Amino acid sequence: MKYKQQQSGFTLVETLIAVLILSISIGALLSLAAGGFYSVRYSRNQIVANNLLQESLEYVRNTRDTAFLNNVSWQDWQSTLKTNTSGVQTGLDSDGCFSQEGCFVDPYALSGNIKKCSPSSCPNVLYYPDNSFYGYSNSYPFSTGTTPYQTSFIRKITVKPSSTIDDQVVVTGTISWLNGTTTRSVSQSILITNWRP
């Protein structure tokens, strides 16, 4: 008498359950990877934003120091922050960095390093991939000719006289950028004093 050999294997239900568990596991891993990429991009953008903001504030402070070393008065230094959108000094109290629109700083331009923002907004910062450099112009003397691309970073400087002391101004820098579809921003203020009365 012959015995029937029983075949062992997975049933259709067992196979479907195994595929479902595998799909859930892979989905969870992909979700973690996507979250990690988002965090890396956010961290990178945060570091770049902080550095661009600090560069603007330090440039304004440096103009004050340079002006004082060249025996430029406090009032004359303040007038250098009152420029139009071409970077030409206007000397009007309601213009340039002292206006509501604010200004932006282009430290590497050959002239007109501080320019008033247009009424709509300040321009986006450009990125030069060959030099790993951020700026605003297509014609820096040290650029290699590669076309820069526009980033989502927008930085703005506003200057207001101090409410407590005449020989002080409050310089506030703000930078905003897109992180995915979310707009992020960072602001910082410094107090600049007339240290040479």
Side-chain angles (χ1 to χ4, degrees):
M1 184 170 176
K2 291 186 178 178
Y3 294 100
K4 287 187 179 180
Q5 213 175 10
Q6 285 191 341
Q7 294 182 348
S8 62
F10 293 111
T11 66
L12 182 59
V13 173
E14 291 171 330
T15 303
L16 289 175
I17 291 173
V19 168
L20 177 66
I21 291 171
L22 181 65
S23 298
I24 291 172
S25 300
I26 290 174
L29 290 175
L30 289 175
S31 175
L32 284 173
F37 288 133
Y38 179 84
S39 296
V40 167
R41 184 177 62 201
Y42 176 75
S43 298
R44 183 198 65 211
N45 288 343
Q46 181 81 33
I47 290 169
V48 170
N50 284 330
N51 287 333
L52 289 172
L53 181 61
Q54 192 65 36
E55 177 186 55
S56 297
L57 295 173
E58 289 301 324
Y59 184 81
V60 173
R61 186 192 314 265
N62 185 46
T63 62
R64 186 271 322 257
D65 294 347
T66 303
F68 283 9
L69 291 174
N70 292 325
N71 292 321
V72 175
S73 71
W74 174 254
Q75 288 75 23
D76 288 342
W77 168 74
Q78 288 185 65
S79 70
T80 64
L81 302 176
K82 299 170 187 173
T83 60
N84 63 18
T85 54
S86 299
V88 177
Q89 292 181 25
T90 61
L92 301 173
D93 288 340
S94 61
D95 222 2
C97 299
F98 287 89
S99 69
Q100 185 176 8
E101 290 87 17
C103 64
F104 66 97
V105 173
D106 188 3
Y108 308 103
L110 296 176
S111 63
N113 302 87
I114 298 175
K115 297 177 178 137
K116 180 181 178 183
C117 295
S118 68
S120 56
S121 73
C122 294
N124 289 62
V125 178
L126 302 176
Y127 178 69
Y128 300 78
D130 287 350
N131 303 75
S132 297
F133 176 77
Y134 292 89
Y136 290 98
S137 173
N138 289 331
S139 59
Y140 288 126
F142 50 83
S143 62
T144 59
T146 304
T147 305
Y149 65 86
Q150 181 176 307
T151 67
S152 66
F153 295 105
I154 298 174
R155 61 180 171 181
K156 177 171 99 169
I157 298 290
T158 56
V159 180
K160 293 184 181 173
S162 173
S163 59
T164 55
I165 299 175
D166 288 340
D167 283 355
Q168 290 182 343
V169 291
V170 178
V171 180
T172 302
T174 303
I175 187 160
S176 60
W177 71 97
L178 286 176
N179 199 57
T181 57
T182 307
T183 301
R184 305 282 185 185
S185 67
V186 174
S187 291
Q188 182 179 354
S189 294
I190 60 172
L191 184 67
I192 296 183
T193 304
N194 181 8
W195 48 262
R196 193 199 54 158

